[in-house]
Amino acid sequence: MTETTEKTNVVPEGFMTEKFPLKKRGYGEEQPGIKIGPFKIRIPLIHHEWQWTECAAAMFLGVACLGAGVTTTMTTFGLNEPANIAALGLTENGAFLMALTFGVLNAVCYYLPSLLGDPVVPGWITPALPLTLKFLEQWSIPDYATGNVDRIKAMIALQMLVALCFLIMGATGIGRKLVECVPMSIKAGIVLGAGITAGVNVFQARMPAAPWTVAIACLLSYLFLFNPSFERKARTSNFWRLVRNQGVVPAQLFAIILAPILLREIPMPQIQWGLTPLSFGFVMEHFTIFGIGFPEMSFFLAAIPSALTTYIIAFSDFVLAKEVVAEATAARPDEVVIFDAGRSNLVSFLRNGIMSVFAPWVPMCGPLWASGLLTITERYKRGYKTMRTYWGGVCTFRASTVIAVMILPLVTLIKPAFAIFFGITMAVQCFACGNIGMRMATTANERGIACVIAAALTFFTPAQALLVGIIVWAVVEGSESVVRFKNRKATAA
C-alpha cells in the first residue's frame, strides 16, 4: 500500500502473510523478539525479513566507515611507521591486515544495538574524535621496539571511562541532569571546539597528502549535505532525494573511482582475495590489557575531563535518535517501535566496554550514526510494501556490515581512500559542529565564551580547555547565575 493508505490505519493487503519473518505481529503491535532483561533480541528471518537494499548499502558504507576508523586507529597507534611495523615483525600489508581485526570486532559491536532491541544505526562519537586525538597527543606515538605504549594505555583508560559514563549516567539518570547543569556557553564551546579542531586536522594532516582529492571530496560532501538549492531539488525529485539521502557517498565514490585515475594523488587499489584474516591473539598481546597491562591510575585521572566531555557530546545523540524514530514511526501505524534511552545507554556501555578490553577503538562507540539511520527511515516511511518491519532495515544494515568487512576484495578495493574518508568525516564535522555550536549560543556573552573555549580546545588538552572555559564563564556569567538562582529560590518560597 502507499504511504498515504498506511496513515489512514487501513491494514495493508497481505499484512504479515509473507514467509519471512517467521514471527508475525498484529497490526499496530511491536515486532516480536526474545526478551532478556531490558533487551529484546531479534534474529534475521525469524524476527525480521532480510532487506537487500540495506544489505547493498552496507557493503559499501559499512566498509568505508570501518576503514576510516581502522586508519585512524593505525595512525594514532603508530602502525603506519616503518620502524614500528618492523618492531612488531610485520610487513606494511601485514600491519594493515592485522589492524582490520579492530574493524571486524567493531563491526560486531555495530550490530549489537539493533540485535538487542535498540532501534538505531550506531556509529562513532564523531564530534568527540578531534578532542580524543588532542587528548592522546599528551603521550608520544607508541614505540614498540622500546615498549613505550603509554598512548595505547591512555586510550584504553579513556574508553573504559566513557563506557562507565554510559553505564552510570544511563542507569541512574544522572546523565540528563549533568548535561542540563552544564551552562549552554560551555556546551556550545565544546561543540564549536570539536568543529575547529576537526578543521585543523583536515588542513594540517589530510590536505598535504592529497590536496586536490581532499578538497574536491569535501566540497562534494558540502554540496550534497548542505546546499539549499540541492535540498529544494531533492524535495521535488525522487531521484535527487535518493542521491541526497546517501550523504557523503558520492564524495567517497569520487575518492575511490575517479581520484586515482584523474588526480593520481592516491594509488590504484591492489585487490587481495579471500576472507579478511583475524589476528585477535596478536591484537590482545600488543594493544590490550592482557598484553601491555592495565593502565595506571594516572591515565584514568587524566582521562576524566575528556570522558565527561565525550559523554556530554554523545548525549545529544539519544535526543536525536528518539526524534528520528518517532518521526519515522508516525507514518507507520502498523508497527510500534520503542526507543528507550536507558537501554541505548546500556548498549553503548557494552560496545565501549568490549572495545576497550579487546581492541581499543580511537573513534569510540557512539549511540547514533544519523545519516545512516535517516537513509533507512526514509525508506521505512514509504510503507509496508517497502519494508515490512522497522527491524528489517536497521538489523540488516549492521548485520551486513559484519559480512562486508570480512570480504577482503571489497576492503582492499576501498583501502587507498581510507585516509580520504577520514578527511571527509572531519570536514563534515567541522561544518556541522560550527553550525550547531553557533546556534546553541543565543546571547553575545554565550557566543564569546564558546569562542574562547573553542580556541582553547585547539591548543590545549580537553581538561585544560574546560578549566579555561569554567574560569571565563565564572568571570563573565557566574554572578548573573547566582542572581537567577536566588530569584528562583525566592519565587519558590
Side-chain angles (χ1 to χ4, degrees):
M1 305 295 289
T2 64
E3 182 180 336
T4 303
T5 304
E6 298 262 11
K7 286 182 178 179
T8 58
N9 290 327
V10 175
V11 179
E13 182 180 352
F15 180 75
M16 282 286 137
T17 60
E18 298 91 350
K19 183 176 181 180
F20 298 111
L22 297 179
K23 296 291 185 180
K24 316 296 184 184
R25 71 176 183 275
Y27 186 85
E29 296 179 358
E30 186 180 9
Q31 185 66 20
I34 303 170
K35 186 169 177 56
I36 300 178
F39 306 117
K40 188 167 284 188
I41 298 174
R42 292 184 173 88
I43 302 170
L45 302 184
I46 297 176
H47 299 106
H48 67 83
E49 78 280 15
W50 189 260
Q51 285 285 334
W52 289 106
T53 299
E54 273 64 42
C55 178
M59 287 292 130
F60 173 74
L61 285 174
V63 172
C65 295
L66 286 171
V70 168
T71 299
T72 304
T73 300
M74 286 182 66
T75 303
T76 305
F77 291 167
L79 293 173
N80 60 334
E81 298 193 358
N84 275 334
I85 293 172
L88 291 171
L90 301 171
T91 62
E92 182 177 348
N93 185 58
F96 168 72
L97 295 177
M98 179 276 298
L100 285 177
T101 304
F102 288 81
V104 171
L105 182 58
N106 192 58
V108 175
C109 289
Y110 271 161
Y111 185 37
L112 280 180
S114 56
L115 178 67
L116 296 177
D118 190 18
V120 300
V121 175
W124 304 352
I125 309 179
T126 312
L129 178 55
L131 307 183
T132 300
L133 297 175
K134 193 72 178 177
F135 164 74
L136 294 175
E137 285 179 3
Q138 297 174 81
W139 296 273
S140 59
I141 292 175
D143 186 334
Y144 300 101
T146 63
N148 178 10
V149 291
D150 284 354
R151 179 178 285 195
I152 300 175
K153 288 185 176 182
M155 184 63 231
I156 293 172
L158 175 59
Q159 192 158 25
M160 283 184 172
L161 284 182
V162 169
L164 191 62
C165 283
F166 280 116
L167 176 62
I168 296 175
M169 305 290 192
T172 64
I174 295 175
R176 178 177 294 277
K177 294 178 182 178
L178 172 67
V179 174
E180 290 175 351
C181 287
V182 176
M184 185 58 70
S185 54
I186 294 180
K187 286 190 284 190
I190 290 172
V191 174
L192 193 59
I196 293 175
T197 308
V200 170
N201 182 279
V202 173
F203 291 123
Q204 285 189 347
R206 306 300 153 192
M207 278 202 164
W212 284 105
T213 303
V214 172
I216 295 174
C218 292
L219 290 174
L220 282 173
S221 299
Y222 289 164
L223 171 67
F224 284 96
L225 288 173
F226 305 118
N227 183 281
S229 299
F230 189 72
E231 180 185 6
R232 288 193 296 271
K233 183 71 175 176
R235 291 176 190 165
T236 58
S237 167
N238 289 333
F239 172 76
W240 289 114
R241 185 183 304 113
L242 178 64
V243 172
R244 189 172 187 271
N245 284 342
Q246 305 313 306
V248 300
V249 173
Q252 292 175 328
L253 287 173
F254 165 78
I256 295 170
I257 300 172
L258 294 179
I261 300 172
L262 299 179
L263 303 177
R264 299 185 180 181
E265 290 181 331
I266 58 177
M268 295 291 291
Q270 301 295 317
I271 306 297
Q272 300 179 48
W273 301 98
L275 296 176
T276 299
L278 299 179
S279 306
F280 283 112
F282 191 94
V283 170
M284 291 180 70
E285 179 183 355
H286 295 281
F287 303 97
T288 73
I289 58 176
F290 303 104
I292 64 176
F294 200 80
E296 290 78 8
M297 185 56 64
S298 59
F299 291 105
F300 288 96
L301 294 175
I304 289 174
S306 293
L308 292 174
T309 300
T310 298
Y311 184 81
I312 291 170
I313 290 172
F315 188 86
S316 61
D317 282 346
F318 295 121
V319 178
L320 179 57
K322 183 176 182 178
E323 293 302 317
V324 171
V325 173
E327 193 268 341
T329 54
R332 291 286 300 270
D334 62 290
E335 181 177 18
V336 171
V337 180
I338 300 172
F339 175 83
D340 185 321
R343 177 173 55 204
S344 192
N345 265 285
L346 290 176
V347 175
S348 296
F349 154 69
L350 288 174
R351 292 169 59 219
N352 281 288
I354 290 169
M355 294 303 293
S356 68
V357 172
F358 296 105
W361 184 248
V362 175
M364 289 190 283
C365 305
L368 177 68
W369 178 28
S371 59
L373 182 61
L374 287 167
T375 301
I376 294 170
T377 54
E378 283 300 315
R379 277 188 11 93
Y380 178 73
K381 288 187 291 186
R382 294 176 192 172
Y384 178 82
K385 294 296 183 182
T386 300
M387 195 179 294
R388 295 168 204 161
T389 170
Y390 183 97
W391 303 98
V394 293
C395 290
T396 300
F397 186 85
R398 277 315 187 199
S400 298
T401 302
V402 180
I403 298 170
V405 78
M406 290 299 299
I407 303 174
L408 191 57
L410 185 61
V411 175
T412 51
L413 170 67
I414 303 173
K415 176 189 172 184
F418 281 168
I420 308 301
F421 292 167
F422 181 68
I424 294 172
T425 300
M426 289 293 97
V428 172
Q429 199 61 55
C430 176
F431 192 103
C433 284
N435 185 352
I436 296 169
M438 291 289 188
R439 286 189 286 113
M440 289 172 68
T442 57
T443 69
N445 280 347
E446 286 180 347
R447 287 189 288 270
I449 295 169
C451 188
V452 172
I453 295 173
L457 281 166
T458 307
F459 292 98
F460 304 125
T461 67
Q464 293 168 334
L466 278 178
L467 179 59
V468 169
I470 291 170
I471 293 172
V472 174
W473 173 85
V475 170
V476 176
E477 290 192 326
S479 59
E480 287 300 306
S481 295
V482 171
V483 171
R484 286 194 294 268
F485 176 76
K486 289 182 177 179
N487 289 339
R488 283 197 302 268
K489 192 173 180 180
T491 303

